[in-house]
Amino acid sequence: MTDSDETPGTEPDTKSGTSPGVAPDGAPPAAPPETSSVSLPPPVAEIATGYSFTGPALELGAALWDGRCHADAPVRIPLAMLNRHGLVAGATGTGKTKTLQLIAEQLSANGVPVFLADVKGDVSGISAPGQDNEKVRQRAAEVGQEWQAAGYPCEFYALGGIGTGIPLRATVTSFGPVLLSKVLQLNQTQEQSLGLIFHYADSKGLELYDLKDLKAVTGFLVSDVGKPELKGIGGLSSVTAGVILRAITAFEQQGAAEFFGEPEFDVTELLRLAPDGRGLVSVLELPAVQDKPQLFSTFLMWLLAELFNGLPEVGDVDRPKLVFFFDEAHLLFSGASKAFLESITQTVRLIRSKGVGVFFVTQTPKDVPSDVLAQLGNRVQHALRAFTPDDEKALKATVRTFPRSPYDLEEVLTGLGTGEAVITVLSEKGAPTPVAATRLRAPGSLMGPVPEADLDRLVKSSLLYGRYAEAVDRESAYEKLSGEERAREAAAVESSLPQAPAARKGADKSLAEQVVGSGIFRSLARSVGTQLGREITRSLFGTRRR
């Protein structure tokens, strides 16, 4: 590392570099500096000045320079800037998960709810106090931290109840055609056809609660009876409908049917506080569905879209209403259509004014599209590896995303140890802070999973468990259209039986006329007709507008 790139003719304000800032409520304050900032190397003094905020801030760690950790140059992030979004990146094993844990703890202590996706199953430890040991004490001494063991209030969820957690479900209607097309890996033509199916169900006020409802409506719209329903807007190809039905069937065979249905999860549950005023940490346990990355990453986007649709505008706030950590973010963008990416970009851009901060967690910044990356004001970049030409290219691209600094970032990023990162955040005035190689603090909670029995006890003792544990299957499109099918079959059988001449008067009616004339079909028509005033409308992401 060298300071040869330092801008000439500028002198850092060393007097303000000693300010430790304001520790977050409920979190231990940083230890007083051992030396005066006058003795700091000029680049470190500039870092100390750049991170000396006056308002509440989260303590991330201490600056590194020439292999030395400077405890009197703390690196922090203003609480009010957490809704300006962020990126936590780095190669596998560099400490990204512990960084999330460190930030989540302090957010909770400041009364800010947090959502975390636990892909590997090692985040549950945030609910239990950490274990004091020599490594923790050494890290705390290096960064000027008064380490204290502490657990934080948590709720644990599981997609569809697969795994240990409160079952988290969505209805197919709520999920919408855009997100479902991503999960089913449909092409653009098939996605448009799926949108047509949803349009029909929406216009009739028909709720698609689960996948069998969607299959029933799809089959109906390519039947002799259903084809005329879409005649005015192009119709639905039988071939495309067959592709969609096969995709849904394959999806069900993977066990995905459990994720769709009722009771649907109310995303405002994520905004709750614990009785002691700390923010609730909502952890979505995903180890049991690690082999379904397209599903869980898209499901996370549904949660975010639901928050965007349901929350009021609040503008700039002194602390976020929720911080949402989007783990394995590259899975969301991989293979995404242009419309899907545009929806993500717009959601991220606009949800800030709803008081929600979003942090994308992935391996390199290049995993995130540039339009989305441009919205991420806070950056925590852990070590990158440069073993291959592609790695070298990714490293150079990552360096270009940082402001100019006195560090040789290519050298620094390949030499960082576990629990170290290069950081730049937004100051209280919204300007980027100096780039700082940082040794991060140690989380106060358990750095590992809690025992399975303890996790199961936490889940079943939750007040939400009784509300969401049991799936409900109300009458919906499947039951209504199945009733119509039974009526059609009965009419066909009746027409094939020998009848008296008088009774055969209507025997030459078409099958469609017979079905339309059936009592069950008229009942269906009445039920649809009574719902026309409650036509379902959709939001930016194609999710149901509530």
Side-chain angles (χ1 to χ4, degrees), residues 381-404:
Q381 177 67 58
H382 287 268
L384 290 174
R385 308 303 178 215
F387 300 135
T388 68
D390 285 344
D391 290 342
E392 286 279 359
K393 188 181 298 184
L395 175 62
K396 292 181 183 298
T398 298
V399 169
R400 288 196 297 270
T401 65
F402 280 93
R404 287 190 61 195

Side-chain angles (χ1 to χ4, degrees), residues 398-420:
T398 298
V399 169
R400 288 196 297 270
T401 65
F402 280 93
R404 287 190 61 195
S405 79
Y407 291 100
D408 180 346
L409 287 180
E410 286 193 30
E411 178 187 337
V412 171
L413 285 173
T414 53
L416 291 171
T418 301
E420 297 176 347

Side-chain angles (χ1 to χ4, degrees), residues 179-361:
L179 294 176
L180 193 59
S181 294
K182 178 73 163 59
V183 170
L184 296 177
Q185 301 181 46
L186 303 181
N187 64 29
Q188 184 176 357
T189 300
Q190 294 154 3
E191 179 179 341
Q192 291 170 348
S193 295
L194 185 63
L196 199 61
I197 296 167
F198 272 82
H199 169 76
Y200 173 76
D202 292 348
S203 65
K204 298 300 183 182
L206 287 173
E207 287 281 5
L208 306 175
Y209 292 133
D210 50 32
L211 292 175
K212 70 177 186 296
D213 290 327
L214 181 60
K215 290 200 297 184
V217 173
T218 304
F220 171 73
L221 290 175
V222 291
S223 69
D224 291 339
V225 179
K227 282 181 180 178
E229 294 287 336
L230 296 180
K231 188 175 182 180
I233 51 175
L236 178 65
S237 159
S238 297
V239 173
T240 302
V243 172
I244 293 172
L245 287 170
R246 286 193 294 274
I248 296 171
T249 300
F251 193 45
E252 287 179 311
Q253 290 172 346
Q254 297 171 16
E258 301 292 332
F259 308 134
F260 294 97
E262 293 189 301
E264 183 174 74
F265 182 67
D266 181 356
V267 295
T268 60
E269 306 282 14
L270 303 179
L271 304 176
R272 293 181 300 136
L273 300 178
D276 61 4
R278 290 183 296 172
L280 199 65
V281 181
S282 298
V283 182
L284 180 59
E285 291 293 325
L286 296 171
V289 292
Q290 284 188 76
D291 59 338
K292 300 178 179 64
Q294 289 281 351
L295 174 66
F296 71 67
S297 63
T298 310
F299 215 99
L300 294 181
M301 196 65 232
W302 172 77
L303 288 173
L304 200 58
E306 286 288 283
L307 287 165
F308 175 76
N309 294 335
L311 294 179
E313 295 280 341
V314 295
D316 290 325
V317 289
D318 60 356
R319 66 187 63 208
K321 297 177 69 174
L322 173 73
V323 176
F324 191 105
F325 289 95
F326 209 122
D327 205 359
E328 301 292 341
H330 64 283
L331 298 171
L332 180 69
F333 303 112
S334 176
S337 67
K338 182 180 179 182
F340 188 84
L341 292 176
E342 287 174 350
S343 296
I344 294 175
T345 303
Q346 194 164 354
T347 300
V348 172
R349 181 181 294 124
L350 298 177
I351 202 170
R352 180 189 68 80
S353 63
K354 306 284 182 103
V356 176
V358 183
F359 275 69
F360 291 97
V361 186

